Amino acid sequence: MVLPNVGGREEIGRLREASDHVLDILRHYLPKKYDFNGLRRLVIYLGPNAEAERTLSTGAANGVGEFLADSFDLHAWFDAPQDEKDVRILQCVEDALVEQAGKFGTDPAPLRVAAQGVRDAGYRLDTELPCSRMHPNRKARVRLIRRFAPGGTFVIARVTTPKDEVLHEEELLAGAWVVTVSDRYRGSRWNGDTLEILDGQGRKTTELACTPYLHP
C-alpha cells in the first residue's frame, strides 16, 4: 500500500481515490506464491523524510515492511492528470518492490511482469466475479463484473444471452474498497427470476430482477 509521508486523512483519502485501482490491478497480476522475505505487506511512504523522523521497519517482527520513496513529488502528482498519475504511481511501486527484492535476494522478474501486466491492461481492469450465475432456464446469465478504475472498485451487473449478447447492464456499486466488494459479493442464488447477491455470511446484500430478459 502507499501512504503520504506527511499529511493527514485528507491526503490519504485523495491518494487512495486516485491510486487504489492501480495497486489493485497490480495485486491481481502478482504471483500468488512469492516469498518476499516473509513479508505480508510492503508500505511505501511517498515524499521526502525532511526531518528524518521516520524509522523504517524491517518487517521481521510483524510481517510488514516499509519503504521510503523520498524522491516522489506527491504535490506534483496530485496536480497531474489521471493518466500521468497512473504511470507515475505504478513506476514508483514497481521500483520499490524491485529494490526490496534485491535486498532480500529474491527474483524481481515476476514483479516486473506483474507491473507490465498493469500497463498492458491500460491501468483499468474488468474481472468477472465467481458469484455470476446462469438462470435455471438457460436463457440468460448475470455476469457480475468487478471493475478497477479511478475512484475505487465498481461492480457492474451484465445480463447476457448464452451467446454473450448483452441484454442489460447496470452499476450496482461504485467507488468501494476492494475488500468491501470481496465481502459483499461472495455468493448468489436465484429466487424465481431475481438474482440475490450474498455476502460472506450468506446474507442478501442486493438483488437484480431479471424477468424482462428471461421472458421477452
Side-chain angles (χ1 to χ4, degrees), residues 6 20 55 70 76 82 93 96 117 160 165 176 183 200 204 206 210 215:
V6 293
D20 267 7
T55 302
D70 54 2
Q82 184 61 54
V93 173
T160 66
E165 300 166 324
D183 180 62
K204 182 175 71 173
T206 189
C210 297
H215 309 284

Side-chain angles (χ1 to χ4, degrees), residues 44-59:
I44 303 169
Y45 293 99
L46 307 176
N49 198 15
E51 298 179 5
E53 292 182 348
R54 184 173 301 284
T55 302
L56 300 184
S57 167
T58 62

